[in-house]
Amino acid sequence: MSFVPVAEDSDFPIHNLPYGVFSTRGNPRPRIGVAIGDQILDLSVIKHLFTGPILSGHQDVFDKPTLNSFMGLGQAAWKEARAFLQNLLSASQARLRDDVELRQRGPSPSFSIQVADSISVLSPAGDYTDFYSSRHHATNVGVMFRGKENALMPNWLHLPVGYHGRASSVVVSGTPIRRPLGQMRPDDSKPPVYGACKLLDFELEMAFFVGPGNKLGEPIPISKAHEHIFGMVLMNDWSARDIQKWEYVPLGPFLGKSFGTTISPWVVPMDALMPFALPNPDQDPKPLPYLCHDQPYTFDINLSVALKGEGMSQAATICRSNFKYMYWTMLQQLTHHSVNGCNLQPGDLLASGTISGPEPESFGCMLELSWRGTKAVELGNGQTRKFLLDGDEVIMTGHCQGDGYRIGFGQCAGKVLPALSPA
């Protein structure tokens, strides 16, 4: 229990303590904080209290405008910080609870900022890779475009397929996304055309931030992979299906993806998620030895997607899924990414790919929910969608349900703006 009031349905109890970068109107300097209940603890104000064996020599990481330096310190530092913060915020600990001067110090009090009044600032992703690790999603898309007999490509069951995304267009929840312009070929019997995307989609994903990296040429063994995973966020990897369809052969996604990717603002540490780890999925054929691990690293994270169109009084939930449906684990993704000697760095962002479950209501994108636009998705009150319209807001949420508490991520939301006029 914490001395901070926390509602039972809050995403941010003392069991969670996610990290984020925030500013306020009164103090626009980006700084690191921890969310608890509906408040933020400003770690830059209390950095002098981190006196443990590791963090006593690295208090400056909490004065940085990004999380990257803290993430780069490694697992022992993360555990030290988490243990200290859970103790500091506990109901029995008087250090912060009873110190009025500390709680009101400086241009920004250490502990009275409301989450609702803060401005989330993205810790810039060092680099961004998107995987394609849901077997249900990959199968569904394969059936649509290649038929049931060739749904999965020959490599899919042997390695975590991925592509290198664009880190500069990763944005924090609440940032509007403009409908992209690009080249498409809607009629295969005619030449391609240039204009606004007409088949705009969301993708329900999750992603993790890398902590310590590895030296160029030195792979991370799967037995050590967990030491390099700092924490997780929700992700919407917006997709322009018509642009993507025309451009992706032979090198994969490009402009159909790079126009915008939204993530939730709070990074939930892996230690908060470990109580919700599940046995890993059966993988047949068995992966090559460098990808094999016994550590449970599949997680029971309930996920949902809601859509609110212009004129709708409330959002309609159109997808309920779960992270446990992933086929390839994060340990396998990180290990495979580095197996060729690629050097990962603190702050790199590695995403799951679209998360779809076995039932239609758990499909994680409009492409699947509308089955390539052949059926309408009901929103209520006569509203339907096959793909996204201008003014639509997509709201993703996720949480792990504990005994009397939940570990949540906050919202991952974005609203579609109209395309600019073609030049």
Side-chain angles (χ1 to χ4, degrees):
M1 286 286 291
S2 172
F3 65 83
V4 182
V6 179
E8 188 171 324
D9 61 350
S10 170
D11 279 349
F12 308 131
I14 196 170
H15 313 73
N16 191 344
L17 301 184
Y19 295 92
V21 178
F22 73 103
S23 66
T24 57
R25 290 164 183 83
N27 183 359
R29 181 177 70 88
R31 51 208 189 273
I32 295 173
V34 162
I36 180 165
D38 63 355
Q39 300 191 58
I40 300 172
L41 176 60
D42 188 339
L43 300 190
S44 71
V45 175
I46 64 158
K47 63 180 181 180
H48 63 285
L49 299 182
F50 289 92
T51 56
I54 300 172
L55 292 174
S56 59
H58 297 282
Q59 293 174 349
D60 62 309
V61 298
F62 298 114
D63 226 6
K64 304 288 186 182
T66 77
L67 286 165
N68 294 1
S69 294
F70 175 53
M71 292 192 288
L73 291 180
Q75 196 174 52
W78 310 336
K79 288 182 178 295
E80 184 179 299
R82 180 172 172 80
F84 168 74
L85 289 169
Q86 285 190 318
N87 180 61
L88 183 70
L89 294 169
S90 67
S92 60
Q93 174 56 257
R95 180 67 182 91
L96 185 60
R97 183 193 67 201
D98 298 342
D99 192 333
V100 177
E101 188 275 331
L102 178 60
R103 291 172 62 172
Q104 296 180 349
R105 176 182 297 175
S108 174
S110 65
F111 196 71
S112 63
I113 300 161
Q114 301 293 306
V115 170
D117 295 331
S118 71
I119 302 168
S120 297
V121 180
L122 182 68
S123 259
D127 231 326
Y128 166 45
T129 298
D130 192 22
F131 286 93
Y132 189 55
S133 293
S134 163
R135 184 171 185 171
H136 296 294
H137 172 68
T139 300
N140 288 339
V141 173
V143 169
M144 286 181 213
F145 292 96
R146 293 185 298 274
K148 184 177 289 188
E149 294 75 20
N150 300 300
L152 293 179
M153 298 298 284
N155 62 355
W156 200 93
L157 293 171
H158 295 273
L159 57 85
V161 173
Y163 72 94
H164 189 218
R166 181 73 186 177
S168 66
S169 54
V170 177
V171 298
V172 73
S173 177
T175 306
I177 297 294
R178 189 169 295 281
R179 183 179 296 271
L181 297 167
Q183 192 177 129
M184 300 151 284
R185 194 181 185 186
D187 188 336
D188 290 341
S189 66
K190 297 179 181 179
V193 298
Y194 168 70
C197 160
K198 293 181 173 58
L199 305 181
L200 185 61
D201 203 352
F202 66 83
E203 288 189 341
L204 171 62
E205 302 196 21
M206 298 196 73
F208 66 87
F209 278 99
V210 174
N214 56 302
K215 294 180 180 179
L216 183 66
E218 298 183 8
I220 298 171
I222 201 159
S223 61
K224 299 287 187 180
H226 65 283
E227 299 175 7
H228 296 261
I229 299 177
F230 176 73
M232 297 183 71
V233 293
L234 302 173
M235 173 180 282
N236 180 355
D237 192 27
W238 303 85
S239 299
R241 299 299 184 189
D242 39 6
I243 296 174
Q244 181 182 357
K245 179 176 181 290
W246 173 233
E247 74 178 1
Y248 84 102
V249 176
L251 293 182
F254 185 31
L255 303 184
K257 295 281 192 175
S258 62
F259 63 94
T261 300
T262 303
I263 63 172
S264 52
W266 296 102
V267 187
V268 176
M270 294 312 300
D271 275 348
L273 297 172
M274 289 312 298
F276 305 95
L278 299 172
N280 302 317
D282 292 331
Q283 295 180 327
D284 183 19
K286 186 177 180 180
L288 293 172
Y290 80 95
L291 287 173
C292 291
H293 70 92
D294 296 324
Q295 180 182 355
Y297 222 76
T298 298
F299 294 88
D300 184 9
I301 306 174
N302 300 292
L303 301 168
S304 68
V305 182
L307 193 155
K308 185 179 182 183
E310 288 189 333
M312 292 176 60
S313 59
Q314 61 183 23
T317 299
I318 58 175
C319 166
R320 295 188 188 276
S321 192
N322 196 297
F323 190 67
K324 68 184 180 183
Y325 296 135
M326 302 308 293
Y327 185 85
W328 294 102
T329 71
M330 292 181 285
L331 301 183
Q332 291 172 319
Q333 291 169 340
L334 184 138
T335 297
H336 184 66
H337 200 314
S338 75
V339 74
N340 66 342
C342 173
N343 54 321
L344 302 178
Q345 298 177 325
D348 283 356
L349 187 65
L350 275 60
S352 62
T354 303
I355 303 166
S356 293
E359 304 300 328
E361 60 269 20
S362 63
F363 294 169
C365 61
M366 295 300 292
L367 180 67
E368 291 173 273
L369 290 167
S370 72
W371 204 255
R372 204 179 176 185
T374 60
K375 60 182 183 179
V377 178
E378 297 288 338
L379 304 181
N381 296 319
Q383 290 255 26
T384 63
R385 292 289 186 279
K386 292 183 178 179
F387 289 93
L388 300 177
L389 301 181
D390 293 345
D392 284 350
E393 183 181 18
V394 178
I395 306 159
M396 298 178 176
T397 56
H399 72 277
C400 305
Q401 187 59 56
D403 185 7
Y405 71 96
R406 58 191 282 169
I407 301 294
F409 294 80
Q411 285 191 350
C412 176
K415 187 173 183 177
V416 178
L417 299 180
L420 298 175
S421 298

